[in-house]
Amino acid sequence: MSGSTRRLSGAIQRLSALRPRKGVGSGLQRAQSFMILTTLLYRASHLTVGVLAVAQRRDGHPAQYLCLAAALALSLLVYGTALRRGWFEPRLVWADVLVTGCALPYVLYGWGGVRETPTIGWAMLLGGSASGLAAIVLARRQALTAIALLVVTHLLGYHLVGASRAVLGGHLNSLLSSAAITAIMWWYLRRQGRLLDEANARALAAEHQKARYAERLDHHRALHDTVLATLTTLAGGGIDANAPEVRERCGREAAYLRRLIQQTADEVHHPELGAALEDAVRSAESLRLRVTAQYHELPPVPPEVAAAFADAAREALNNVRRHAGTGHAYLTAAGSGDRGLLVTVVDRGPGFDPEDYVPGFGLRGSVHSRMAEVGGRAVVDTAPGEGVRVELRWPA
């Protein structure tokens, strides 16, 4: 592999390393995951207080257990859905505000026999986590409406049990500070997540530009060492342009130029695979076999797979030169399926009858075995008078 090709491979590897790994996601997704975890822990601390408060009451009314069970079930629904989908559902957040934050204290007061401030406190605590959740999930007006509704209902609820002004003031501060702190935290994390995504996008664009420049540089050097050198020599008049060896060299380099022109601007070739196949083609052309090669959206493959394809394709081209009785072969390489690869080598020779043919060492060892060793397979399709098609596929 040439130095520029190695640099291109390294650039693409660095570019791949900058992409978010599977299961990690973008910066914004990471911020969302962190907020889900933070608010979940906040709600879990309030539920823990509720479990302890209800468990310690020996004369607990069944309604108290039902209210605690309802709070637990709704919390599991809200946070379970968020963990599964990556963010909260606004309708479930509204249900949490109305049921857990607003209705629960009045159910305890009306049917649970709760008439004292300490016994209703655990239900009031849940309003703090409900207000924080509303502040980061709901639209601004809806969030303000939900928080105002929590404030009014909780102040009225504490008033029913005769809570002191200090308790009312402290709880009001808890509701509003929970919403404010959660909103500020979410604003900061979301901003940092977006900045991280923008930085990654700029880095990816820069690495992509470097990779494309390295690819162009590789082509320029190849043209300098081949086509330009030939044209310069011909222009100097030092050799006979009609000499067989000169015409043969011009034909090989014309085929190379043709392959470059056929590549579209959007095609991105994996450097190791593309270079390996092109080396196999040039090797065959140096032995006076004309090869029409086309490459389409080559996927990235492990180095050992690229080497196996190149070696198997080289042997298939050698077989065309030795046995097909034709001086022309066709090689096509393209992506297949989910990141798979298909390479075909075709000739228009006389072909043969597969039932009367015993594969030689080259076909057995250099084609079939090489592909099988890397988890691929080789198929030979031929018939008398139909030429030969060698199909190399990975994975098998």
Side-chain angles (χ1 to χ4, degrees):
M1 186 181 298
S2 66
S4 58
T5 302
R6 285 194 296 270
R7 286 192 293 273
L8 175 59
S9 176
I12 291 183
Q13 290 174 358
R14 292 192 299 272
L15 185 148
S16 300
L18 289 171
R19 294 191 179 98
R21 293 169 295 181
K22 185 177 181 180
V24 175
S26 65
L28 184 58
Q29 290 172 333
R30 297 179 192 182
Q32 290 175 334
S33 299
F34 183 82
M35 285 306 303
I36 292 173
L37 178 61
T38 302
T39 54
L40 174 59
L41 293 175
Y42 191 36
R43 172 57 60 87
S45 67
H46 293 170
L47 289 173
T48 301
V49 174
V51 171
L52 295 176
V54 173
Q56 289 176 357
R57 288 183 62 85
R58 297 181 180 179
D59 57 342
H61 193 278
Q64 297 179 17
Y65 294 98
L66 291 176
C67 287
L68 179 60
L72 287 169
L74 188 54
S75 297
L76 287 175
L77 179 61
V78 171
Y79 288 94
T81 303
L83 290 171
R84 186 172 65 254
R85 298 184 179 180
W87 192 237
F88 296 98
E89 286 286 337
R91 57 178 182 172
L92 294 180
V93 172
W94 265 116
D96 185 61
V97 169
L98 296 175
V99 176
T100 305
C102 296
L104 200 62
Y106 294 100
V107 174
L108 288 173
Y109 180 83
W111 289 279
V114 173
R115 296 293 185 271
E116 300 175 351
T117 300
T119 56
I120 204 174
W122 69 268
M124 295 298 193
L125 272 178
L126 293 173
S129 52
S131 68
L133 202 57
I136 65 172
V137 177
L138 302 179
R140 180 174 299 177
R141 290 186 178 180
Q142 294 184 7
L144 292 175
T145 301
I147 294 170
L149 186 61
L150 287 169
V151 170
V152 172
T153 55
H154 280 222
L155 290 180
L156 180 59
Y158 266 132
H159 178 73
L160 290 175
V161 296
S164 64
R165 291 184 178 181
V167 172
L168 290 175
H171 187 69
L172 177 61
N173 176 70
S174 176
L175 282 174
L176 297 178
S177 61
S178 295
I181 292 173
T182 309
I184 292 173
M185 183 184 299
W186 172 230
W187 171 83
Y188 177 78
L189 290 174
R190 184 171 51 185
R191 179 176 178 272
Q192 294 301 114
R194 288 174 177 170
L195 290 175
L196 177 61
D197 289 340
E198 292 173 1
N200 281 337
R202 289 193 298 269
L204 285 171
E207 288 292 341
H208 180 70
Q209 185 176 4
K210 290 179 181 178
R212 294 298 296 269
Y213 174 77
E215 186 178 21
R216 289 196 300 270
L217 183 61
D218 187 39
H219 289 321
H220 293 167
R221 287 176 175 173
L223 291 174
H224 175 273
D225 296 341
T226 56
V227 179
L228 184 59
T230 302
L231 292 176
T232 302
T233 303
L234 290 174
I239 60 175
D240 182 7
N242 292 318
E245 60 273 14
V246 175
R247 298 179 63 183
E248 178 183 346
R249 173 168 177 159
C250 290
R252 289 199 306 268
E253 294 173 359
Y256 174 65
L257 281 176
R258 192 176 298 110
R259 288 193 291 273
L260 289 181
I261 294 172
Q262 288 174 346
Q263 295 178 7
T264 65
D266 295 331
E267 286 181 335
V268 178
H269 300 316
H270 189 268
E272 291 186 359
L273 179 59
L277 290 174
E278 185 64 23
D279 183 67
V281 170
R282 290 187 182 181
S283 175
E285 289 177 333
S286 68
L287 298 175
R288 300 186 178 182
L289 176 67
R290 187 160 64 96
V291 181
T292 299
Q294 292 185 335
Y295 311 113
H296 303 286
E297 298 180 356
L298 300 184
V301 297
E304 63 273 13
V305 174
F309 267 103
D311 292 338
R314 181 181 290 105
E315 181 58 25
L317 292 171
N318 287 338
N319 284 337
V320 174
R321 182 181 58 82
R322 289 194 297 259
H323 306 301
T326 176
H328 193 182
Y330 303 85
L331 183 145
T332 303
S336 173
D338 186 13
R339 303 177 70 83
L341 176 63
L342 174 64
V343 175
T344 59
V345 177
V346 178
D347 68 70
R348 296 176 179 173
F352 56 87
D353 187 349
E355 296 182 357
D356 298 334
Y357 176 75
V358 178
F361 175 79
L363 190 59
R364 255 192 348 263
S366 299
V367 179
H368 289 284
S369 295
R370 278 195 175 110
M371 294 304 300
E373 287 171 359
V374 295
R377 65 183 175 92
V379 177
V380 179
D381 183 17
T382 183
E386 298 295 332
V388 179
R389 172 188 172 92
V390 178
E391 181 180 283
L392 311 174
R393 186 180 295 274
W394 180 88

